[in-house]
Amino acid sequence: MNTVLGLLGGLFLIAGAAFLLFGGLGLVRMPDVFNRIQAGTKATTLGTLFSLAGAACLQPEWTLKLMLIGLFILFTNPISSQVLARAAHRSHAEKSALTAVDRLEDDQGA
Amino acid sequence: MVEFLIYIAAMLVGLAFLLALYRFFKGPSAADRVAAFDVLTIITITVIVLVALVEGRAIYLDVALIYALLSFLGVIVVARYLERGL
Amino acid sequence: MISLFVSLLLFWLLLNGSLAGDVVMVGVAASLLLAFLFRDGLAIFAEWRPNTLATTVRYFFFFLKELVKANLNVAKIVLAPSLPLTPGFVKVRTRLKSRMGRLLLANSITLTPGTLTVDMDGEWLYIHWVSVDSAEIEAATAAIVTGFEEYLEVMYG
């Protein structure tokens, strides 16, 4: 029983780390700041949640505190990304040449 | 066995950290750097949790929580600054 | 907001009976966060309707599913050598009226496949979309907003 839970925890940790790695990869490979934030925020949120879940499997008595951290991340991570994306857009950060349409700029220009 | 899995996870996390660090130094815009910083701090939370697991001490979780709180405020403040100055 | 911050910090320091560096730091951080969250009183958290607990739970699981989908999507894009992107900023409209409902909607959109909330203006949200299917307001709203809105409308209105 204990080894099963331990194995599950380890796998959760690895899955979480893998998602963090995808986030880092996205941060490097994506062509502009908005796409980088996209990759960064999603991958790190789930990556962290998986890592916390893994830790909870390995140390069940920590579950409550790990859940608290998880909830906090879940709530604040998208907020900081959104504020950052808005700041980037308002400070006219460079957009990738691929960007098809920008209705936010259209509306602000009008 | 579990120890081994934790170390593998730590290696992957370390790699993710290096990638984000690359973006942090490369930029090019300030927003890029803040985005990278944001990712770096969140990766650090996982690092702290891994350290807590290896050391077997729950006190590190408090560190992780406070760290998450402060980095959130930090990113918001810097983003606001980019937008229109403090 | 400032008075709330000061009183919280004072209470914390009295509680600890110490001016040690770490105690003060934690106190400042916690008081700042609380003062920030509760600058308009507790109104935001009172908007949730307790009789919608079942919907809230279903919303949570729907959200988790979308979050996992978003991450597989990110992995797919990041690992593809060609980096398949057609990004753009689209405009969508929400029917939600409450502040908490809109906050959760914006957060949910940010964490789901290919979309990132960039700006809000009343009922209008501006979304950065990794693969723009349609820049039309109705079509984009249907694709991005409707899934979450059905739950949040019950929970918050």
Side-chain angles (χ1 to χ4, degrees):
Chain A
M1 155 64 200
N2 224 343
T3 50
V4 173
L5 206 56
L7 202 62
L8 189 68
L11 292 179
F12 261 127
L13 285 180
I14 294 206
F19 280 123
L20 289 179
L21 189 57
F22 293 147
L25 211 54
L27 213 50
V28 170
R29 287 200 70 202
M30 289 294 199
D32 67 9
V33 62
F34 301 101
N35 290 300
R36 284 173 199 146
I37 295 173
Q38 284 252 19
T41 184
K42 291 182 228 308
T44 55
T45 305
L46 193 68
T48 309
L49 287 183
F50 271 21
S51 303
L52 295 172
C57 291
L58 296 177
Q59 296 276 2
E61 66 270 35
W62 293 0
T63 303
L64 265 185
K65 190 157 275 176
L66 290 167
M67 270 173 65
L68 190 63
I69 300 177
L71 272 180
F72 188 80
I73 300 271
L74 208 51
F75 207 72
T76 58
N77 213 4
I79 296 182
S80 57
S81 298
Q82 187 255 310
V83 173
L84 188 55
R86 192 180 64 183
H89 195 275
R90 287 193 185 163
S91 61
H92 305 288
E94 200 179 321
K95 285 174 287 190
S96 155
L98 295 169
T99 306
V101 54
D102 189 344
R103 302 198 69 123
L104 179 52
E105 190 167 277
D106 296 349
D107 281 12
Q108 280 168 350
Chain B
M1 179 62 194
V2 170
E3 286 271 290
F4 178 67
L5 292 177
I6 294 180
Y7 287 126
I8 300 237
M11 267 170 52
L12 294 176
V13 172
L15 211 53
F17 198 90
L18 287 179
L19 289 170
L21 209 56
Y22 167 82
R23 178 55 67 199
F24 181 74
F25 284 116
K26 180 101 185 299
S29 74
D32 283 302
R33 290 178 211 275
V34 186
F37 176 77
D38 193 21
V39 170
L40 282 172
T41 57
I42 294 159
I43 292 175
T44 307
I45 292 166
T46 298
V47 172
I48 298 174
V49 170
L50 290 178
V51 171
L53 281 175
V54 172
E55 301 272 318
R57 296 181 61 187
I59 188 78
Y60 287 112
L61 299 185
D62 295 299
V63 179
L65 190 59
I66 298 300
Y67 191 83
L69 206 155
L70 288 176
S71 73
F72 169 62
L73 291 175
V75 170
I76 298 272
V77 169
V78 176
R80 292 250 137 174
Y81 172 71
L82 286 181
E83 230 166 65
R84 54 174 175 233
L86 280 172
Chain C
M1 183 176 173
I2 291 167
S3 64
L4 180 58
F5 169 70
V6 171
S7 40
L8 280 170
L9 186 59
L10 213 59
F11 181 67
W12 170 262
L13 292 176
L14 285 172
L15 204 66
N16 276 276
S18 144
L19 282 174
D22 52 347
V23 174
V24 175
M25 254 175 56
V26 171
V28 168
S31 312
L32 253 180
L33 182 78
L34 286 173
F36 178 72
L37 282 179
F38 299 133
R39 63 192 183 288
D40 303 322
L42 289 158
I44 277 201
F45 290 92
E47 284 169 359
W48 183 62
R49 300 168 181 160
N51 56 348
T52 60
L53 185 63
T55 310
T56 308
V57 172
R58 273 191 294 130
Y59 164 71
F60 189 69
F61 281 103
F62 177 69
F63 167 78
L64 282 186
K65 198 185 79 197
E66 293 291 307
L67 180 59
V68 172
K69 253 166 55 186
N71 275 272
L72 297 178
N73 186 36
V74 166
K76 210 175 72 192
I77 292 177
V78 172
L79 293 177
S82 61
L83 214 61
L85 295 170
T86 47
F89 297 83
V90 297
K91 185 179 181 182
V92 296
R93 184 212 294 263
T94 175
R95 297 195 303 261
L96 297 173
K97 297 275 181 284
S98 68
R99 287 179 301 165
M100 195 64 175
R102 285 178 178 173
L103 170 65
L104 284 181
L105 179 68
N107 271 5
S108 302
I109 287 172
T110 297
L111 289 177
T112 48
T115 51
L116 168 69
T117 311
V118 176
D119 212 341
M120 282 176 98
D121 182 15
E123 59 181 351
W124 301 102
L125 281 84
Y126 297 90
I127 312 284
H128 181 262
W129 202 356
V130 167
S131 53
V132 176
D133 294 335
S134 167
E136 292 305 314
I137 290 171
E138 280 77 26
T141 303
I144 297 174
V145 175
T146 307
F148 291 112
E149 207 171 49
E150 280 170 17
Y151 294 95
L152 290 169
E153 201 163 39
V154 178
M155 287 158 60
Y156 291 98

PDB file of all heavy atoms in Angstrom, chain A residues 88-104:
ATOM      1  N   ALA A  88       2.276  44.432 -20.756  1.00  0.00           N
ATOM      2  CA  ALA A  88       3.072  44.269 -21.981  1.00  0.00           C
ATOM      3  C   ALA A  88       2.377  44.935 -23.151  1.00  0.00           C
ATOM      4  O   ALA A  88       2.999  45.623 -23.963  1.00  0.00           O
ATOM      5  CB  ALA A  88       3.301  42.786 -22.258  1.00  0.00           C
ATOM      6  N   HIS A  89       1.049  44.725 -23.230  1.00  0.00           N
ATOM      7  CA  HIS A  89       0.320  45.300 -24.355  1.00  0.00           C
ATOM      8  C   HIS A  89       0.302  46.816 -24.274  1.00  0.00           C
ATOM      9  O   HIS A  89       0.469  47.508 -25.274  1.00  0.00           O
ATOM     10  CB  HIS A  89      -1.099  44.747 -24.380  1.00  0.00           C
ATOM     11  CG  HIS A  89      -1.812  45.002 -25.681  1.00  0.00           C
ATOM     12  ND1 HIS A  89      -2.484  46.162 -25.941  1.00  0.00           N
ATOM     13  CD2 HIS A  89      -1.889  44.247 -26.809  1.00  0.00           C
ATOM     14  CE1 HIS A  89      -2.979  46.110 -27.167  1.00  0.00           C
ATOM     15  NE2 HIS A  89      -2.641  44.967 -27.710  1.00  0.00           N
ATOM     16  N   ARG A  90       0.111  47.353 -23.070  1.00  0.00           N
ATOM     17  CA  ARG A  90       0.040  48.809 -22.921  1.00  0.00           C
ATOM     18  C   ARG A  90       1.389  49.474 -23.111  1.00  0.00           C
ATOM     19  O   ARG A  90       1.452  50.641 -23.492  1.00  0.00           O
ATOM     20  CB  ARG A  90      -0.517  49.162 -21.545  1.00  0.00           C
ATOM     21  CG  ARG A  90      -1.999  48.884 -21.467  1.00  0.00           C
ATOM     22  CD  ARG A  90      -2.617  49.522 -20.249  1.00  0.00           C
ATOM     23  NE  ARG A  90      -4.019  49.128 -20.163  1.00  0.00           N
ATOM     24  CZ  ARG A  90      -4.755  49.250 -19.073  1.00  0.00           C
ATOM     25  NH1 ARG A  90      -4.220  49.750 -17.969  1.00  0.00           N
ATOM     26  NH2 ARG A  90      -6.014  48.884 -19.064  1.00  0.00           N
ATOM     27  N   SER A  91       2.468  48.729 -22.802  1.00  0.00           N
ATOM     28  CA  SER A  91       3.784  49.326 -23.022  1.00  0.00           C
ATOM     29  C   SER A  91       4.293  48.979 -24.418  1.00  0.00           C
ATOM     30  O   SER A  91       5.474  49.104 -24.706  1.00  0.00           O
ATOM     31  CB  SER A  91       4.763  48.868 -21.942  1.00  0.00           C
ATOM     32  OG  SER A  91       4.918  47.465 -21.992  1.00  0.00           O
ATOM     33  N   HIS A  92       3.362  48.529 -25.295  1.00  0.00           N
ATOM     34  CA  HIS A  92       3.667  48.278 -26.712  1.00  0.00           C
ATOM     35  C   HIS A  92       4.825  47.298 -26.885  1.00  0.00           C
ATOM     36  O   HIS A  92       5.741  47.554 -27.662  1.00  0.00           O
ATOM     37  CB  HIS A  92       3.957  49.585 -27.444  1.00  0.00           C
ATOM     38  CG  HIS A  92       2.844  50.573 -27.298  1.00  0.00           C
ATOM     39  ND1 HIS A  92       1.637  50.419 -27.948  1.00  0.00           N
ATOM     40  CD2 HIS A  92       2.732  51.690 -26.548  1.00  0.00           C
ATOM     41  CE1 HIS A  92       0.838  51.411 -27.612  1.00  0.00           C
ATOM     42  NE2 HIS A  92       1.476  52.193 -26.766  1.00  0.00           N
ATOM     43  N   ALA A  93       4.746  46.189 -26.159  1.00  0.00           N
ATOM     44  CA  ALA A  93       5.741  45.145 -26.378  1.00  0.00           C
ATOM     45  C   ALA A  93       5.591  44.621 -27.801  1.00  0.00           C
ATOM     46  O   ALA A  93       4.498  44.608 -28.363  1.00  0.00           O
ATOM     47  CB  ALA A  93       5.528  44.006 -25.377  1.00  0.00           C
ATOM     48  N   GLU A  94       6.699  44.191 -28.352  1.00  0.00           N
ATOM     49  CA  GLU A  94       6.694  43.742 -29.741  1.00  0.00           C
ATOM     50  C   GLU A  94       5.831  42.492 -29.891  1.00  0.00           C
ATOM     51  O   GLU A  94       5.946  41.555 -29.098  1.00  0.00           O
ATOM     52  CB  GLU A  94       8.124  43.449 -30.181  1.00  0.00           C
ATOM     53  CG  GLU A  94       8.264  43.461 -31.681  1.00  0.00           C
ATOM     54  CD  GLU A  94       9.702  43.184 -32.096  1.00  0.00           C
ATOM     55  OE1 GLU A  94      10.607  43.691 -31.405  1.00  0.00           O
ATOM     56  OE2 GLU A  94       9.897  42.467 -33.067  1.00  0.00           O
ATOM     57  N   LYS A  95       4.974  42.488 -30.936  1.00  0.00           N
ATOM     58  CA  LYS A  95       4.151  41.315 -31.208  1.00  0.00           C
ATOM     59  C   LYS A  95       4.771  40.529 -32.344  1.00  0.00           C
ATOM     60  O   LYS A  95       5.352  41.100 -33.254  1.00  0.00           O
ATOM     61  CB  LYS A  95       2.731  41.738 -31.587  1.00  0.00           C
ATOM     62  CG  LYS A  95       1.921  42.207 -30.408  1.00  0.00           C
ATOM     63  CD  LYS A  95       0.589  42.758 -30.866  1.00  0.00           C
ATOM     64  CE  LYS A  95       0.746  44.096 -31.542  1.00  0.00           C
ATOM     65  NZ  LYS A  95      -0.509  44.783 -31.809  1.00  0.00           N
ATOM     66  N   SER A  96       4.608  39.206 -32.264  1.00  0.00           N
ATOM     67  CA  SER A  96       5.125  38.359 -33.337  1.00  0.00           C
ATOM     68  C   SER A  96       4.493  38.754 -34.668  1.00  0.00           C
ATOM     69  O   SER A  96       3.334  39.172 -34.730  1.00  0.00           O
ATOM     70  CB  SER A  96       4.802  36.905 -33.012  1.00  0.00           C
ATOM     71  OG  SER A  96       4.749  36.149 -34.193  1.00  0.00           O
ATOM     72  N   ALA A  97       5.247  38.606 -35.759  1.00  0.00           N
ATOM     73  CA  ALA A  97       4.737  38.932 -37.091  1.00  0.00           C
ATOM     74  C   ALA A  97       3.577  38.015 -37.464  1.00  0.00           C
ATOM     75  O   ALA A  97       2.787  38.317 -38.355  1.00  0.00           O
ATOM     76  CB  ALA A  97       5.854  38.820 -38.114  1.00  0.00           C
ATOM     77  N   LEU A  98       3.455  36.882 -36.758  1.00  0.00           N
ATOM     78  CA  LEU A  98       2.370  35.942 -37.038  1.00  0.00           C
ATOM     79  C   LEU A  98       1.018  36.469 -36.579  1.00  0.00           C
ATOM     80  O   LEU A  98      -0.015  35.997 -37.015  1.00  0.00           O
ATOM     81  CB  LEU A  98       2.641  34.611 -36.319  1.00  0.00           C
ATOM     82  CG  LEU A  98       3.862  33.807 -36.749  1.00  0.00           C
ATOM     83  CD1 LEU A  98       4.108  32.690 -35.758  1.00  0.00           C
ATOM     84  CD2 LEU A  98       3.639  33.246 -38.142  1.00  0.00           C
ATOM     85  N   THR A  99       1.043  37.460 -35.666  1.00  0.00           N
ATOM     86  CA  THR A  99      -0.192  37.926 -35.042  1.00  0.00           C
ATOM     87  C   THR A  99      -1.193  38.381 -36.102  1.00  0.00           C
ATOM     88  O   THR A  99      -0.923  39.301 -36.871  1.00  0.00           O
ATOM     89  CB  THR A  99       0.102  39.079 -34.072  1.00  0.00           C
ATOM     90  OG1 THR A  99       1.103  38.650 -33.163  1.00  0.00           O
ATOM     91  CG2 THR A  99      -1.149  39.465 -33.316  1.00  0.00           C
ATOM     92  N   ALA A 100      -2.336  37.665 -36.142  1.00  0.00           N
ATOM     93  CA  ALA A 100      -3.281  37.862 -37.237  1.00  0.00           C
ATOM     94  C   ALA A 100      -4.143  39.110 -37.033  1.00  0.00           C
ATOM     95  O   ALA A 100      -4.446  39.820 -37.983  1.00  0.00           O
ATOM     96  CB  ALA A 100      -4.162  36.622 -37.378  1.00  0.00           C
ATOM     97  N   VAL A 101      -4.541  39.367 -35.788  1.00  0.00           N
ATOM     98  CA  VAL A 101      -5.542  40.401 -35.551  1.00  0.00           C
ATOM     99  C   VAL A 101      -5.320  40.947 -34.143  1.00  0.00           C
ATOM    100  O   VAL A 101      -4.872  40.233 -33.256  1.00  0.00           O
ATOM    101  CB  VAL A 101      -6.965  39.807 -35.706  1.00  0.00           C
ATOM    102  CG1 VAL A 101      -7.121  38.591 -34.825  1.00  0.00           C
ATOM    103  CG2 VAL A 101      -8.039  40.820 -35.379  1.00  0.00           C
ATOM    104  N   ASP A 102      -5.563  42.241 -33.932  1.00  0.00           N
ATOM    105  CA  ASP A 102      -5.444  42.811 -32.596  1.00  0.00           C
ATOM    106  C   ASP A 102      -6.617  43.744 -32.342  1.00  0.00           C
ATOM    107  O   ASP A 102      -6.559  44.928 -32.608  1.00  0.00           O
ATOM    108  CB  ASP A 102      -4.112  43.554 -32.440  1.00  0.00           C
ATOM    109  CG  ASP A 102      -3.857  43.967 -30.990  1.00  0.00           C
ATOM    110  OD1 ASP A 102      -4.826  43.952 -30.201  1.00  0.00           O
ATOM    111  OD2 ASP A 102      -2.715  44.297 -30.664  1.00  0.00           O
ATOM    112  N   ARG A 103      -7.691  43.175 -31.838  1.00  0.00           N
ATOM    113  CA  ARG A 103      -8.897  43.973 -31.621  1.00  0.00           C
ATOM    114  C   ARG A 103      -8.745  44.909 -30.437  1.00  0.00           C
ATOM    115  O   ARG A 103      -9.462  45.897 -30.317  1.00  0.00           O
ATOM    116  CB  ARG A 103     -10.100  43.052 -31.434  1.00  0.00           C
ATOM    117  CG  ARG A 103     -10.311  42.139 -32.618  1.00  0.00           C
ATOM    118  CD  ARG A 103     -11.695  41.572 -32.630  1.00  0.00           C
ATOM    119  NE  ARG A 103     -12.687  42.580 -32.903  1.00  0.00           N
ATOM    120  CZ  ARG A 103     -13.546  42.496 -33.903  1.00  0.00           C
ATOM    121  NH1 ARG A 103     -13.499  41.499 -34.732  1.00  0.00           N
ATOM    122  NH2 ARG A 103     -14.472  43.413 -34.052  1.00  0.00           N
ATOM    123  N   LEU A 104      -7.813  44.589 -29.542  1.00  0.00           N
ATOM    124  CA  LEU A 104      -7.590  45.480 -28.403  1.00  0.00           C
ATOM    125  C   LEU A 104      -6.980  46.786 -28.896  1.00  0.00           C
ATOM    126  O   LEU A 104      -7.409  47.872 -28.507  1.00  0.00           O
ATOM    127  CB  LEU A 104      -6.668  44.794 -27.394  1.00  0.00           C
ATOM    128  CG  LEU A 104      -6.298  45.596 -26.133  1.00  0.00           C
ATOM    129  CD1 LEU A 104      -7.547  46.124 -25.456  1.00  0.00           C
ATOM    130  CD2 LEU A 104      -5.511  44.732 -25.173  1.00  0.00           C
TER     131      LEU A 104
END
